Amino acid sequence: MSRTAELDRLDAVLDRTLDQDGGSTVVDLAGAAGIGKSRLMAEFCQRARVRGMTVLHGWATEYEQHIPYRPFSDALADHDVALADPGAGAGHQGNRFGLHRSVAKLLAEIAEPGPEPGPEAGRRPLGRGLVVALDDLHWADPASLELLDHLVRHPPYAPVVIVVARRDRQTAASLAAALTRGIDLGTVLRLDLGPLAEHACLEVLAPEVAPGLPPGRAAELYAASHGNPLYFLALLQAGRGGQAESGGGHGAPQPSAGLGSLLLDELTPLTAAQRRTAEVVAVLGDHGTAALLAVVTGQDQAAVDADLDALARRDVLRPGPGGRWTLRHPVLRTLVHESIAPQERIRIHRLAATGLADAGTPATERAHHVEQSLTGWDPEAVAVLSEAAEQSAATAPASSAHWLGVALAHLPDHPRHTGLRRDLMLRRAQALGVCGGLRESRDLLHQVIAMSPPGEAGAAGVRTSAVTLCAVMERHLGRYAEAVALLRRELSQDPGPALADTVELSLELGSSAPHATAYPQVRADVARTVDLARSSGDEVAEAGALAIMALGETYEGEMSAAREATDRAAALVDALTDHDLASLCEALVRLGWAEAFLERYADAERHADRGLAIARRGGLLYVLPHLLLCKAQVHIQTLRLDSAVELADEAETIARGIGSDELLAFVLANKAYALTYAVPPDDPTALTVAEEAVAAAGMGTSWWASIAWCLLAHAVVLAGDMPRARSAVLRAGGNNLSGLQPSMRPLIMEILVVSAVAVGETNAARNWAERAREEADRLGLPTQRAAALRSTAHCLLADGDLAAAVELVEEAAAETARQGTVLWETFSLLLGAPLTAAAGHPDRARAMWTRARQLAATGGALQLTGLADALRPAVYGTPAPEADSGPAAVFPSLSPREREIAALIAEGLTTPDIAARLYLSPRTVESHLSRIYRKTGVTSRAALAVLQIRSELGGQEPGPGRAPNAPR
């Protein structure tokens, strides 16, 4: 079959992947059914094998869309790696995002094998490079789609190609979005397969299938098939083209039916036992071993082996890894599966479930067969579904929710099952919430609450859990008023909830209420919760309530109360074990954020790290983004931007999986904050991410929405758009700025001061600067005080008082240096260096500039290194420095970090080696390399090495388009 253009592009992918600077790629083969996706994928895999690459092949199927990670486990089975029950592995810690990272690491290990294993290892020898082919991905389960999304966003740094084939019109929106984002990121190559060229059908396919067919007749059949090769083959083989009109009206052929009849004709010569064996294999899928076939067919092992031999000789069945048998192609499996009488198919599934249970197979592998065999209420079957849902709750919550839904659908509507129904509904709601079905979860919880009236014996605990979880769903949906109303109603019941239930409800009230109203209005509620928890001896709940108090008081800028609550919460949290905190990990979130806002960076990072360890072990996925961002915030302020961006990336992946726009807005805003300083001055990435953050926030006025607008203002002001920066701040806080976080207002007001000065509104600038000074004095936080000092300095400069402005900026730098807020120390130094030089203190100015430049370079702050380079003439004067024939002179457009990486490339170091040498991630090194290529005009590591060597010998840097000709 001729797909020359597509194959040329696929060959280029393989060659680039195996090149020394090649990384991983996802290839997206999209098109209609029968257009040739599978055949093109097979040819691609064969070309990869010829190059010595390892090839793993997996399929998704229409009948197994709720088996977690089905296509990936199918592919990895070719490598003798089990992934059928991902939640069972200790290494995954019940965290599906941890599993994603483990799979990425595994793919990299397969792609870059170590020493060849001996015969005892049981695996075939591997070559360099890996192709993972995933066919029919439009049928894939949600867990697989989430894993693929992770691999698109965080590709393993190894020669890995993941090629997926899918029907574009049947593709889930989440898969289409993930692949489209990958195109934007440069990690996905999409090939949209259209009709096959007429000459390929007439000159290649027709002579092979129907030799002697007149050319005119073949052309008629091609027109009737609309260029679809599967349909064309069916018309050739079934001889139905003469009945068709090429226009495709009511008389158009049904070629797939003709092909189906042709394939099923292969089963006609089989004996009854052989056909039954083929049918059982079609039903069993991955479980089609000879032993299980004997159980399901009722034959002895010798008879089954004889049938398998006969079917293999006819190429109906093919042997696979682990003694499994499969039909030779998924299309044939589908046809055989559909040809089985419905009642017989149910019976085969039931026997399969029994046989797998006798073999000790986990419930997650039996659940599919149990589901397909259920025709009514069966307590034992529902118990299997419930167990499978429990096992997959953390790693595949969508499958967990599905199986619980199946169990509920078969549960009789009888009072004696009310307790079980409530339990299954509550668990299903939890699973739906985790996988992003927030509204469906909330609606289900409303039903649970209605089924559990206050005071009913045995329902109190379920009702409290349902009300609390419902409030969490409402909170994540941005419906804070509804969450607060629900909780207050529950707490006001007469008789009221038990003490433990009251504490649980009150803790969630303390979490939800500050989003719906100002913290001072719930201060008394939080204080009562602290007292209740203490009186009941519940130290975990007391720590949780104190953490809410600490964050609330810190947010409001009530520093005395904030410090006291933070100290008490930290002392209690540090005395508790990880086991104690497992059920209330959010306490560490709030404590860490409170400490970050109080500029206690070491304590904040320590508590965030502890929270991350606990949350990962327990699968507390709602909590992870907040902990990751807390740590990222610390790294931004202390100028560790590479790691800050990585932390924000991980938080973004989780937030998108959860499906909350509110959370996504918060995550993207913080990611934009890190990128604002991490990318070069001319890079629009930070602004793009910030704009997406405010889009996700919508018309909201919550703290998270306010943060998104403020951080958009940060990105905009550095881009030089002062009016837009001012508008963003006022959108966040209102004209009187009451909507801004009080403990951060001086820093945000600096944007208003700079914007006002830039447009000549000096009176407005003075008013904002005076307010910033007053609020900073009240807060007593060095970073906020430094912002107020810089704001006043801007006003003084506008008035022409250079000496006073210099004094204030230098004081701001000293304030932030004492506190360890490296970001704002660097910023203050860069602001002050040219002013100090202009004031007649060149030595001090150069010392300030040098320190700022070093801090920026060490912290990965390309925005600030670019600013420093732009300011250098103002600090050192107009005469150029002495000529330098070294790399800095030959690569003037590169940052020091980029020149450092270029030098290591010239030494022959690989990306992982460079990452280890410089304490960076491989992904960060690759980002630097992309910028180096763009700035120097070279396109490969080899060419860059040649250029670097020339620079060290005193050569000149060629401009773009004049890169040295070096082999790749």
Side-chain angles (χ1 to χ4, degrees):
M1 185 182 299
S2 176
R3 291 278 188 188
T4 304
E6 289 89 347
L7 286 170
D8 286 345
R9 295 184 71 184
L10 293 175
D11 278 336
V13 169
L14 293 175
D15 292 339
R16 185 173 65 249
T17 300
L18 292 175
D19 190 8
Q20 66 174 12
D21 62 348
S24 63
T25 302
V26 176
V27 176
D28 175 23
L29 303 180
I35 204 68
K37 302 182 298 295
S38 296
R39 186 163 180 176
L40 183 61
M41 176 182 280
E43 176 62 25
F44 179 63
C45 291
Q46 179 57 33
R47 295 183 180 209
R49 290 188 186 96
V50 169
R51 287 168 168 81
M53 301 175 74
T54 300
V55 176
L56 307 178
H57 208 150
W59 275 272
T61 68
E62 184 176 3
Y63 312 110
E64 295 156 334
Q65 292 183 65
H66 300 290
I67 298 179
Y69 305 102
R70 172 68 173 79
F72 283 96
S73 61
D74 188 27
L76 287 170
D78 289 345
H79 190 59
D80 298 327
V81 173
L83 197 63
D85 184 20
H92 302 133
Q93 304 290 349
N95 171 6
R96 69 187 194 270
F97 300 108
L99 172 64
H100 297 169
R101 292 190 295 274
S102 297
V103 172
K105 182 179 179 181
L106 175 61
L107 296 182
E109 290 173 351
I110 297 173
E112 296 277 21
E116 185 174 313
E120 71 282 355
R123 291 183 184 172
R124 58 184 177 224
L126 301 176
R128 182 176 184 272
L130 170 66
V131 170
V132 181
L134 304 173
D135 210 346
D136 288 338
L137 213 66
H138 51 279
W139 298 126
D141 60 281
S144 293
L145 298 184
E146 201 172 61
L147 172 54
L148 180 64
D149 184 42
H150 175 85
L151 294 172
V152 169
R153 289 176 175 279
H154 305 284
Y157 188 78
V160 176
V161 180
I162 300 173
V163 55
V164 304
R166 61 185 178 88
R167 300 177 190 171
D168 47 3
R169 293 189 178 183
Q170 293 174 258
T171 297
S174 60
L175 173 58
L179 293 170
T180 300
R181 280 195 298 270
I183 293 173
D184 296 338
L185 293 170
T187 57
V188 172
L189 168 67
R190 175 170 294 168
L191 295 181
D192 291 304
L193 301 188
L196 194 62
E198 183 173 4
H199 72 86
C201 288
L202 302 189
E203 298 173 14
V204 179
L205 295 182
E208 288 181 0
V209 177
L213 186 71
R217 180 61 178 150
E220 291 177 7
L221 296 182
Y222 176 81
S225 73
H226 300 285
N228 186 300
L230 180 67
Y231 292 2
F232 181 66
L233 286 171
L235 290 172
L236 288 174
Q237 295 166 327
R240 299 185 60 182
Q243 305 170 16
E245 298 177 4
S246 62
H250 292 294
Q254 301 296 323
S256 58
L259 180 60
S261 299
L262 188 73
L263 290 172
L264 287 175
D265 280 347
E266 294 186 46
L267 306 185
T268 303
L270 303 180
T271 66
Q274 289 169 351
R275 175 155 187 151
R276 177 170 172 72
T277 298
E279 291 173 344
V280 172
V281 169
V283 171
L284 291 179
D286 271 355
H287 300 122
T289 62
L292 186 57
L293 287 168
V295 171
V296 177
T297 60
Q299 300 185 88
D300 60 40
Q301 194 65 61
V304 169
D305 289 342
D307 288 343
L308 292 172
D309 286 343
L311 292 167
R313 285 195 299 273
R314 290 181 175 274
D315 197 27
V316 174
L317 298 184
R318 291 179 181 176
R324 298 174 301 143
W325 290 82
T326 60
L327 284 128
R328 73 168 181 266
H329 194 278
V331 171
L332 182 57
R333 181 192 174 191
T334 298
L335 292 168
V336 173
H337 189 279
E338 290 299 315
S339 72
I340 305 170
Q343 291 303 313
E344 178 63 14
R345 194 159 56 233
I346 289 171
R347 198 174 79 84
I348 293 173
H349 278 296
R350 184 176 294 118
L351 290 169
T354 301
L356 289 169
D358 292 340
T361 306
T364 49
E365 296 188 40
R366 290 181 276 139
H368 166 68
H369 297 292
V370 169
E371 175 188 351
Q372 296 300 318
S373 64
L374 263 178
T375 56
W377 170 238
D378 182 343
E380 292 184 3
V382 168
V384 173
L385 293 173
S386 178
E387 183 183 353
E390 181 70 25
Q391 291 177 0
S392 60
T395 54
S399 296
S400 178
H402 169 77
W403 285 325
L404 290 166
V406 172
L408 284 164
H410 290 86
L411 187 64
D413 188 9
H414 192 280
R416 69 171 178 271
H417 296 302
T418 299
L420 177 59
R421 184 179 299 279
R422 279 191 300 234
D423 176 64
L424 294 175
M425 290 172 72
L426 181 60
R427 290 171 54 199
R428 177 169 159 78
Q430 291 169 331
L432 287 168
V434 169
C435 65
L438 304 182
R439 289 175 175 81
E440 191 177 355
S441 173
R442 178 198 60 197
D443 294 345
L444 194 58
L445 289 163
H446 283 169
Q447 296 180 47
V448 176
I449 294 168
M451 292 168 56
S452 312
E456 179 181 314
V462 172
R463 180 180 174 88
T464 297
S465 296
V467 169
T468 304
L469 184 58
C470 188
V472 172
M473 295 300 107
E474 297 282 30
R475 172 157 57 95
H476 281 286
L477 286 167
R479 293 163 52 91
Y480 306 118
E482 289 82 353
V484 171
L486 178 66
L487 293 162
R488 289 200 184 281
R489 185 190 72 167
E490 195 66 18
L491 287 165
S492 65
Q493 295 285 350
D494 187 19
L499 180 58
D501 292 342
T502 299
V503 171
E504 181 181 346
L505 293 164
S506 298
L507 282 173
E508 178 53 35
L509 178 63
S511 300
S512 298
H515 292 278
T517 185
Y519 176 78
Q521 296 182 33
V522 297
R523 183 178 280 127
D525 293 304
V526 176
R528 275 194 297 273
T529 304
V530 172
D531 293 339
L532 276 174
R534 187 186 300 113
S535 66
S536 66
D538 190 341
E539 290 184 322
V540 176
E542 184 183 356
L546 283 169
I548 292 172
M549 182 182 291
L551 182 55
E553 300 292 359
T554 302
Y555 175 89
E556 292 296 332
E558 298 296 337
M559 290 297 107
S560 177
R563 292 186 177 97
E564 179 186 357
T566 302
D567 290 341
R568 291 172 62 191
L572 196 49
V573 162
D574 290 344
L576 293 169
T577 66
D578 287 0
H579 176 76
D580 293 331
L581 292 169
S583 62
L584 201 66
C585 198
E586 281 191 289
L588 287 160
V589 173
R590 297 187 178 98
L591 176 58
W593 274 106
E595 289 169 331
F597 291 142
L598 289 171
E599 301 176 20
R600 301 177 177 180
Y601 299 124
D603 288 338
E605 184 166 10
R606 176 169 61 87
H607 286 127
D609 280 336
R610 188 180 180 195
L612 285 168
I614 296 171
R616 291 190 198 282
R617 284 197 298 270
L620 304 176
L621 301 180
Y622 280 122
V623 183
L624 282 174
H626 304 281
L627 290 162
L628 290 164
L629 293 181
C630 177
K631 185 173 181 178
Q633 176 69 208
V634 172
H635 285 206
I636 292 169
Q637 299 302 322
T638 55
L639 215 57
R640 290 173 280 170
L641 294 181
D642 290 334
S643 58
V645 172
E646 289 182 3
L647 290 162
D649 277 340
E650 184 179 353
E652 180 187 354
T653 300
I654 299 172
R656 291 188 186 277
I658 289 174
S660 165
D661 287 341
E662 285 273 324
L663 177 59
L664 183 60
F666 185 53
V667 169
L668 291 175
N670 281 274
K671 180 177 179 179
Y673 191 20
L675 287 170
T676 295
Y677 299 101
V679 300
D682 58 347
D683 191 319
T685 305
L687 186 56
T688 300
V689 174
E691 289 170 339
E692 186 181 355
V694 298
M699 299 302 294
T701 57
S702 67
W703 174 49
W704 289 355
S706 173
I707 288 291
W709 282 99
C710 287
L711 295 179
L712 172 64
H714 266 292
V716 168
V717 77
L718 286 174
D721 191 344
M722 300 305 178
R724 188 183 181 194
R726 177 181 182 275
S727 297
V729 172
L730 295 179
R731 167 62 178 80
N735 289 331
N736 65 352
L737 304 187
S738 60
L740 299 182
Q741 180 177 336
S743 58
M744 298 287 288
R745 266 202 293 253
L747 185 59
I748 300 167
M749 281 191 282
E750 185 179 5
I751 296 173
L752 294 175
V753 172
V754 172
S755 301
V757 168
V759 297
E761 297 178 358
T762 53
N763 286 333
R766 290 190 197 97
N767 291 335
W768 291 124
E770 177 59 23
R771 183 173 171 186
R773 185 193 62 76
E774 291 172 356
E775 297 205 20
D777 288 345
R778 181 178 63 83
L779 292 170
L781 295 171
T783 300
Q784 301 304 315
R785 175 167 163 73
L789 290 168
R790 290 193 302 270
S791 292
T792 303
H794 286 297
C795 295
L796 292 171
L797 282 173
D799 294 336
D801 193 344
L802 176 61
V806 166
E807 184 178 342
L808 292 182
V809 173
E810 290 187 359
E811 186 179 349
E815 284 271 4
T816 49
R818 283 193 296 271
Q819 194 64 18
T821 315
V822 185
L823 169 63
W824 295 110
E825 179 191 358
T826 306
F827 190 84
S828 299
L829 289 170
L830 288 175
L831 177 62
L835 302 180
T836 303
H841 307 290
D843 291 340
R844 192 159 79 232
R846 291 170 184 174
M848 293 169 68
W849 184 91
T850 300
R851 175 166 173 77
R853 186 64 171 74
Q854 290 173 343
L855 290 175
T858 302
L862 298 182
Q863 179 74 235
L864 299 182
T865 55
L867 178 59
D869 292 342
L871 294 173
R872 192 181 195 282
V875 175
Y876 281 85
T878 51
E882 291 185 11
D884 183 1
S885 61
V890 181
F891 291 124
S893 60
L894 300 188
S895 69
R897 176 69 86 187
E898 289 165 351
R899 287 197 290 269
E900 190 175 17
I901 289 174
L904 294 174
I905 290 292
E907 292 179 21
L909 271 66
T910 65
T911 293
D913 292 337
I914 296 171
R917 176 82 64 88
L918 301 180
Y919 301 101
L920 301 174
S921 71
R923 188 178 182 197
T924 300
V925 173
E926 284 299 302
S927 297
H928 283 304
L929 270 175
S930 297
R931 288 191 286 270
I932 293 169
Y933 291 157
R934 185 175 69 248
K935 291 178 180 181
T936 60
V938 302
T939 58
S940 72
R941 297 166 79 100
L944 178 61
V946 171
L947 192 61
Q948 173 68 23
I949 292 168
R950 288 182 182 177
S951 75
E952 293 172 357
L953 295 174
Q956 295 300 312
E957 177 186 20
R962 294 188 291 118
N965 296 318
R968 295 193 63 175

